[in-house]
Amino acid sequence: MASNDMQVLMYKILKYLYECMKNGIEPKLEDFSWDSKLMDVPQSYWVEIIAILVEDGYIDGFSVMRNKVKDVKLHIQTNRPYRITYKGVCFLDENSGMKKAKEFLSSTFPVILSSVLGVIIQP
């Protein structure tokens, strides 16, 4: 597994939103965007991941606009507040890919997430 694998990035986004919810912190887009402390990936890749998470019902706070015309890019629009859904929490806890991503990130991610949120996050 690599730090830019889709499952790893999905885990980071979902975990960030879940920890915000649990700690009463309003999520900030700049904390979990494509060029943030949590990740550094191309914007188009991040947009696709957000679209998947929205369309599968795992997060709220974005509208996804897919154009059926060939060669038109996917667009997302922010609708704040950003939040993880109950379905997203279940996916984070029960999906085998999310468990692998958690194991991959187990040593450093909780420290980075703690610094972004200003609270101590347990692995």
Side-chain angles (χ1 to χ4, degrees), residues 60-93:
D60 287 331
F62 299 91
S63 294
V64 178
M65 295 162 276
R66 292 189 185 269
N67 196 326
K68 305 281 187 216
V69 179
K70 188 177 180 181
D71 297 330
V72 175
K73 292 184 178 183
L74 166 73
H75 297 282
I76 59 170
Q77 179 177 340
T78 60
N79 296 328
R80 297 185 70 113
Y82 311 111
R83 69 177 196 92
I84 188 170
T85 64
Y86 177 72
K87 187 175 178 180
V89 172
C90 292
F91 180 72
L92 186 63
D93 289 340

Side-chain angles (χ1 to χ4, degrees), residues 28-119:
K28 299 176 192 165
L29 185 59
E30 59 268 15
D31 286 346
F32 67 101
S33 67
W34 63 90
D35 60 350
S36 65
K37 288 183 181 178
L38 297 183
M39 62 189 75
D40 184 18
V41 296
Q43 183 179 5
S44 59
Y45 183 35
W46 181 85
V47 166
E48 187 61 45
I49 291 168
I50 292 294
I52 291 166
L53 292 172
V54 169
E55 291 172 339
D56 287 348
Y58 300 140
I59 65 173
D60 287 331
F62 299 91
S63 294
V64 178
M65 295 162 276
R66 292 189 185 269
N67 196 326
K68 305 281 187 216
V69 179
K70 188 177 180 181
D71 297 330
V72 175
K73 292 184 178 183
L74 166 73
H75 297 282
I76 59 170
Q77 179 177 340
T78 60
N79 296 328
R80 297 185 70 113
Y82 311 111
R83 69 177 196 92
I84 188 170
T85 64
Y86 177 72
K87 187 175 178 180
V89 172
C90 292
F91 180 72
L92 186 63
D93 289 340
E94 298 170 3
N95 181 273
S96 63
M98 293 298 100
K99 289 179 183 178
K100 288 179 186 175
K102 179 181 179 180
E103 290 171 12
F104 174 77
L105 294 168
S106 66
S107 61
T108 58
F109 184 67
V111 174
I112 296 167
L113 186 55
S114 293
S115 73
V116 169
L117 295 176
V119 296

